[in-house]
Amino acid sequence: MTEKRRRLSRDDWVAAALAALAEGGMGAVAIEPLAARLGATKGSAYWHFANRDELLRAALQHWEFDETDAVIALVSAEPDPTVGLRTLLGTALSHPQANVAVMLAGVNDPLVEPVLTRVTNRRIDYLAELFTRLGFTGDAARHRATLAYSAYLGTGQLWRTAPGALPADSGAWDSYMDEVWKALTATE
């Protein structure tokens, strides 16, 4: 008796494309290897997407929503900007690996680069808004936002390439985050 395959959804293909992008870069987002990974036929992909570029666009749209729009909405619901920014930084810095991998994978790709530019600008703008709500003005808020985002990208790269450089236990991590917080919010 043969086992009946589960019909894959559009979301299954999008998730597989994002995982492949995070793990192997742009070259890993190809229909045939993704089909093998999912135990499916290429026809399943083409049922949902006209081609690889359409799949990639859908994956990037999903990534942008989950990793930017939804996060901003969640943090914006917090009335205290100190709590919101501290929560955002703690969460983003503790697990940036896959997110940063997606960002690094698409540099110089004509489909991905405009999305990365939009996401980066939106994130820095939102961070600047939070720093403004904390009392920093103009350039100071923007510079701190850029520094915070740089810390995020750098931490993601360290998690991927040199995880031993980052604090390993929760107490050391909390101490590290306190120092990051002090550096970003110091007034002198």
Side-chain angles (χ1 to χ4, degrees), residues 124 127-128 131-132 136-151 183-184:
I124 291 172
L127 285 164
F131 280 108
T132 299
F136 296 95
T137 59
D139 287 345
R142 186 71 182 185
H143 292 158
R144 287 165 195 273
T146 303
L147 180 60
Y149 200 68
S150 297
L184 291 171

Side-chain angles (χ1 to χ4, degrees), residues 103-164:
M103 295 183 73
L104 295 174
V107 174
N108 298 321
D109 182 276
L111 290 176
V112 181
E113 193 169 8
V115 176
L116 295 180
T117 298
R118 182 176 59 246
V119 165
T120 298
N121 288 333
R122 178 126 188 262
R123 290 172 176 183
I124 291 172
D125 289 347
Y126 182 68
L127 285 164
E129 180 184 318
L130 288 174
F131 280 108
T132 299
R133 289 179 58 208
L134 285 175
F136 296 95
T137 59
D139 287 345
R142 186 71 182 185
H143 292 158
R144 287 165 195 273
T146 303
L147 180 60
Y149 200 68
S150 297
Y152 165 71
L153 293 175
T155 301
Q157 186 64 12
L158 286 173
W159 278 119
R160 288 173 49 92
T161 61

